Amino acid sequence: MKITITETNFEQVEADVLVVGVPEHPENTDGWNEFVTSYSDRLPNWLKTGDVQTAFKKVVKMPALGEQKYNRVLFIGLGARKELTEALLREAFVAVGQALATSKTTSVAIWTAPFTNEQLTCDDVAFTAAEGLGLGGYKFEDYKTTSNERDVVLEAVTLLSSADKDELKAAFEIGQVHAHAVNEARTLVNMPPNILTATEMAKYARQLAEKYDFEIEVLGKKEMEEQGMGAILAVNKGSVEPPQLIVLKYTGTDQWEDVVGLVGKGITYDTGGYSIKPKDGMVGMKGDMGGAAAVLGAMEIIGETRPAKNVIAVIASTDNMISGEAFKPDDVITSLSGKTIEVLNTDAEGRLVLADAVTYALRSGADYLVDVATLTGGVIVALGNDKTGALTNDEAFFEEFMYAAAETGEFVWRLPLTENDKKRLRKSDVADLNNSPGRDGHMIFGGGFVGEFVGDTPWVHLDIAGTSEASAAHDLGPKGATGVMVRTLATLVERMAE
Ligand code: BES
Ligand code: ZN
Ligand code: ZN
């Protein structure tokens, strides 16, 4: 995409659409009178009659009305200006992105001044505009043979601002990187499970590694057997698709200390196994690799922005199927860590693959761990579909993580993990652990099980079962995969590099 930065001169703007933010009392914006004069003297009247609105996210499209070099104006309501935040700007630009996509726009000019306030600079506007336009313009390329309409992509963006050009451009480009990475994660989650197999996911990771110069290691079934990864192998037993443990290493500094480990659940399809899901509960389980997608998306941002911090990403990928060979309730398996596990429920498979992945991340040198997984239906019961659930064993690391989440605006809420919960995870007549202590508060058992494998390493567990997909269009994008936690994970690494 071509990015141009110019001084605000409405006579010179050449674009399909000029985007104009309309906060309450827009006349307090520097340059508003010039805009009114150049566009239409009737604008103040339209604001009074409500034809153009200041209500937050209200979009009004108007044609150019004179000799302008742009074809249309897109007004976007911003509400009370002093209450605008980065998160609200992002949402407003998502609405703009959606409106542009439906109006087949290829070039856009954004006048930054109306979007600023005492806290929000033109750079913030550039950053959130790129994020919002990218996220709002997302559409999954489906497999319909009937739709022959080609999607229009935005080819050129002009920012009208008097701020430093290089900084504006850099801010816009980072926003683009964020949006692209989130959209890539969305696509992985939206892909059907017969196409996105563990092998395909490994192929995708190899392409990332090639592009960003990551070290990559992919362990297949044989390597897992050699190492003794009994937990992921058990989950894979019923499948004809080989399992893959995907390990990406990013070197941002010579110091191999304080290495961040990002671990993702990559179940490409979860039937539940012999503890089979009811038919209605099974549909949608192609998205059970949302944690893996979040980690891969974050690695893309890290590969682009190259923070001074070393990162190890580990993704445990397989599907969870049924066959004469499949694992079953009552099986006892030995994980890579050596700990034995009594399988009480084959549908609690995510924590099993994560156990081996976390152990592998620790053995590869991770000093901090974040695992991300569509792990339990319990988190949806507890927190709904708009909050990611968290557990931790380290207050300071969790605080650092929450700063990152606040920066990206992704809502995360922590649940407790008590000694009593751990006792129940360790209760088994035949093994060290059981994989399903009960349904009461079972988000905690899911994450808590993973916690049994991290030792004293500072660890944050993220259960995105509720947030990884949306059943309808939402503030940051369309129905379907959300790409949640991509931006927060990358932001955490960037913050830890500072
Ligand atoms: N993949 C599911 C969790 C899930 C549920 C993700 C809904 C997305 C939407 C997970 O593997 C699972 O089946 N969890 C069980 C655990 C139970 C058997 C202890 C659950 O939450 O019911
Ligand atoms: Zn399951
Ligand atoms: Zn699952």
Side-chain angles (χ1 to χ4, degrees):
M1 186 192 292
K2 185 162 179 270
I3 306 163
T4 313
I5 320 268
T6 69
E7 294 288 328
T8 310
N9 181 337
F10 300 108
E11 264 73 57
Q12 299 302 321
V13 185
E14 276 184 62
D16 224 356
V17 173
L18 170 64
V19 176
V20 176
V22 197
E24 287 167 13
H25 305 294
E27 65 281 359
N28 294 342
T29 302
D30 273 348
W32 186 261
N33 290 340
E34 286 84 342
F35 173 65
V36 171
T37 311
S38 79
Y39 178 62
S40 171
D41 290 339
R42 293 153 79 185
L43 180 55
N45 253 344
W46 292 335
L47 280 158
K48 275 194 203 125
T49 54
D51 293 306
V52 174
Q53 296 196 21
T54 60
F56 186 61
K57 289 209 282 194
K58 191 84 193 168
V59 170
V60 175
K61 294 180 205 166
M62 294 278 212
L65 296 170
E67 299 302 305
Q68 295 96 347
K69 293 182 186 162
Y70 49 86
N71 298 323
R72 282 169 293 167
V73 179
L74 188 150
F75 292 103
I76 172 90
L78 296 177
R81 182 174 205 146
K82 64 177 189 320
E83 281 162 29
L84 277 177
T85 59
E86 210 172 89
L88 290 174
L89 278 191
R90 184 181 299 112
E91 274 183 39
F93 281 113
V94 167
V96 172
Q98 285 162 343
L100 294 178
T102 55
S103 61
K104 311 217 175 299
T105 306
T106 55
S107 65
V108 68
I110 301 167
W111 174 28
T112 56
F115 295 92
T116 57
N117 64 17
E118 274 175 22
Q119 300 89 46
L120 295 165
T121 63
C122 286
D123 288 355
D124 297 327
V125 177
F127 171 66
T128 52
E131 275 195 343
L133 294 182
L135 296 174
Y138 175 76
K139 185 168 166 282
F140 178 61
E141 268 188 47
D142 58 37
Y143 302 88
K144 292 181 200 233
T145 53
T146 47
S147 61
N148 49 16
E149 238 176 87
R150 227 166 51 89
D151 279 345
V152 172
V153 287
L154 214 47
E155 285 161 8
V157 171
T158 304
L159 298 174
L160 310 181
S161 170
S162 49
D164 181 87
K165 286 190 174 155
D166 292 338
E167 283 175 23
L168 271 173
K169 188 155 189 270
F172 191 88
E173 282 170 348
I174 293 178
Q176 282 184 300
V177 165
H178 279 205
H180 187 262
V182 171
N183 289 343
E184 287 282 294
R186 287 174 172 177
T187 293
L188 289 171
V189 173
N190 285 331
M191 280 168 75
N194 58 327
I195 296 179
L196 187 77
T197 58
T199 306
E200 275 306 304
M201 185 134 51
K203 208 186 265 178
Y204 179 87
R206 281 197 185 91
Q207 286 164 4
L208 268 192
E210 173 92 356
K211 180 159 182 200
Y212 297 116
D213 200 22
F214 299 145
E215 263 178 67
I216 182 162
E217 185 186 12
V218 179
L219 282 66
K221 194 168 179 167
K222 198 168 120 263
E223 292 83 6
M224 290 181 191
E225 282 164 357
E226 282 162 13
Q227 300 235 6
M229 297 188 170
I232 183 170
L233 282 167
V235 175
N236 178 256
K237 265 178 89 183
S239 179
V240 292
E241 286 290 338
Q244 309 268 269
L245 192 93
I246 304 162
V247 186
L248 292 170
K249 278 191 198 166
Y250 163 72
T251 308
T253 159
D254 293 338
Q255 277 120 20
W256 279 93
E257 53 197 35
D258 294 345
V259 176
V260 186
L262 304 177
V263 179
K265 169 178 174 182
I267 298 294
T268 57
Y269 201 73
D270 184 11
T271 66
Y274 274 99
S275 311
I276 193 165
K277 288 183 182 294
K279 62 182 182 302
D280 293 336
M282 199 183 294
V283 175
M285 280 301 144
K286 65 174 184 177
D288 211 17
M289 31 57 69
V295 169
L296 289 168
M299 290 306 283
E300 177 174 331
I301 299 178
I302 289 163
E304 289 280 350
T305 59
R306 307 205 84 76
K309 181 104 278 173
N310 293 344
V311 181
I312 297 174
V314 180
I315 286 161
S317 189
T318 171
D319 46 8
N320 183 21
M321 304 294 284
I322 288 181
S323 83
E325 310 229 355
F327 80 135
K328 55 201 174 297
D330 287 346
D331 279 359
V332 173
I333 59 184
T334 303
S335 65
L336 175 63
S337 72
K339 285 192 178 163
T340 55
I341 303 160
E342 179 183 10
V343 177
L344 294 180
N345 192 321
T346 60
D347 198 9
E349 84 298 339
R351 64 200 73 181
L352 297 176
V353 303
L354 287 171
D356 281 351
V358 155
T359 303
Y360 199 80
L362 286 175
R363 291 188 183 172
S364 308
D367 300 301
Y368 291 87
L369 282 172
V370 184
D371 79 87
V372 201
T374 48
L375 206 64
T376 67
V379 77
I380 308 174
V381 176
L383 299 175
N385 282 295
D386 55 351
K387 296 165 210 81
T388 292
L391 298 178
T392 188
N393 64 355
D394 190 285
E395 300 297 325
F397 184 44
F398 186 68
E399 196 179 334
E400 184 66 27
F401 173 82
M402 287 305 279
Y403 277 119
E407 208 172 307
T408 58
E410 297 195 296
F411 198 104
V412 179
W413 196 256
R414 176 180 169 187
L415 282 88
L417 171 59
T418 65
E419 288 310 311
N420 195 44
D421 297 322
K422 294 178 195 167
K423 224 187 263 169
R424 288 179 64 184
L425 283 160
R426 294 169 191 163
K427 191 171 171 299
S428 166
D429 292 337
V430 290
D432 299 329
L433 298 166
N434 78 80
N435 81 331
S436 183
R439 289 208 70 86
D440 52 321
H442 76 268
M443 176 278 181
I444 294 169
F445 294 130
F449 183 92
V450 181
E452 292 294 305
F453 296 84
V454 304
D456 294 331
T457 303
W459 158 73
V460 172
H461 163 70
L462 300 171
D463 192 335
I464 58 168
T467 49
S468 180
E469 286 179 77
S471 56
H474 56 101
D475 290 340
L476 295 183
K479 174 182 171 183
T482 59
V484 74
M485 289 301 127
V486 167
R487 293 180 297 122
T488 299
L489 292 178
T491 303
L492 172 69
V493 171
E494 276 156 22
R495 289 182 61 89
M496 290 176 79
E498 278 165 11

